Amino acid sequence: MAPKNKIALALFFPRRGSSPCFAMLVPQVEEVNEQGQDVPPGLNVITLPFVDEIHVPPINPSKGAEDDEVNLAIAMIKKMTLREGYDPDNYLNPSLGVYYGILQATALEEEFDIETFKDTTRPDYKTIHERVGKLMADWKTAINSNPASEEYVVEPARSTSKRKAAPMGEMQVRDRYNDGRLDKLTVDELKSFLKSKALPITGRKAELVDRVDQWFTTHS
């Protein structure tokens, strides 16, 4: 599939006895560097949602930032950008640094003063203030003076209705089955599980429990 730049559509069973779902099979090409294999060849499985699982959030129009606010933010970012880029080798893990410091002091029969240890991962607030302190103050003043900054982009929801409990998943119901506690499930939980397996949901609770029990017996 990789040479033809194609993907495959398949039915995917995440685990034994679970409901199938659609998935994409995306080929992965082997990558090799000087040390050897960097990325192994194979297939990536990407599950696809069903239609009723796709929700489009409402998009409300919002006012953008003013030009002076944007320009001040850009200036701050440029001032704070590392000229040489980020090199993880320049930032020692502080836990390991303290450990090695104590180890070295013990080996040399010296005392380790943790106050003298420099944690390179901690922000240098003094330098930050010297570089962008005035810009940050001007940016904050510009935002606070803009009436649009007090507006909600999305109004917070205020609901007084009780939230419905989320339906139990197959693994949770299977745990009840393994423990012999299917009868502890509510009628709604039993019906929800049976409905997900395209099984009848009519009858009394005892009949629903038997139906769920039979399904797990045949799918163990």
Side-chain angles (χ1 to χ4, degrees), residues 93-157:
N93 183 322
S95 298
L96 290 178
V98 172
Y99 171 76
Y100 290 140
I102 295 174
L103 194 65
Q104 177 178 330
T106 303
L108 300 176
E109 296 183 351
E110 300 175 348
E111 291 187 2
F112 177 72
D113 185 5
I114 195 170
E115 298 296 332
T116 62
F117 174 75
K118 184 178 180 181
D119 184 357
T120 55
T121 64
R122 295 189 63 182
D124 186 352
Y125 294 109
K126 182 180 179 181
T127 302
I128 292 174
H129 180 73
E130 291 174 353
R131 288 187 180 180
V132 296
K134 186 177 185 306
L135 287 172
M136 292 179 67
D138 294 343
W139 184 66
K140 182 178 179 180
T141 301
I143 290 178
N144 290 337
S145 61
N146 185 355
S149 63
E150 299 180 1
E151 299 177 3
Y152 285 107
V153 176
V154 178
E155 288 290 340

Side-chain angles (χ1 to χ4, degrees), residues 74-109:
I74 292 174
M76 282 192 294
I77 293 172
K78 287 183 177 179
K79 286 280 188 180
M80 293 301 298
T81 301
L82 298 174
R83 296 179 181 177
E84 304 298 330
Y86 172 73
D87 185 358
D89 292 335
N90 294 332
Y91 303 93
L92 178 67
N93 183 322
S95 298
L96 290 178
V98 172
Y99 171 76
Y100 290 140
I102 295 174
L103 194 65
Q104 177 178 330
T106 303
L108 300 176
E109 296 183 351

Side-chain angles (χ1 to χ4, degrees), residues 19-20 52 164 167-170 173 185-202 207-209 211-212 215-216:
S19 300
D52 56 353
K164 293 183 178 179
M168 297 187 69
E170 181 180 320
V173 181
L185 298 175
T186 64
V187 172
D188 289 340
E189 291 170 339
L190 292 167
K191 286 184 176 181
S192 176
F193 176 79
L194 291 170
K195 189 176 181 180
S196 68
K197 305 303 178 186
L199 296 173
I201 59 174
T202 57
E207 296 173 325
L208 301 178
V209 171
R211 209 167 292 152
V212 173
W215 188 89
F216 279 113

Side-chain angles (χ1 to χ4, degrees), residues 28-41:
Q28 179 171 284
V29 181
E30 182 182 24
E31 296 181 10
V32 180
N33 55 29
E34 296 178 354
Q35 285 75 34
Q37 187 184 65
D38 188 29
V39 177

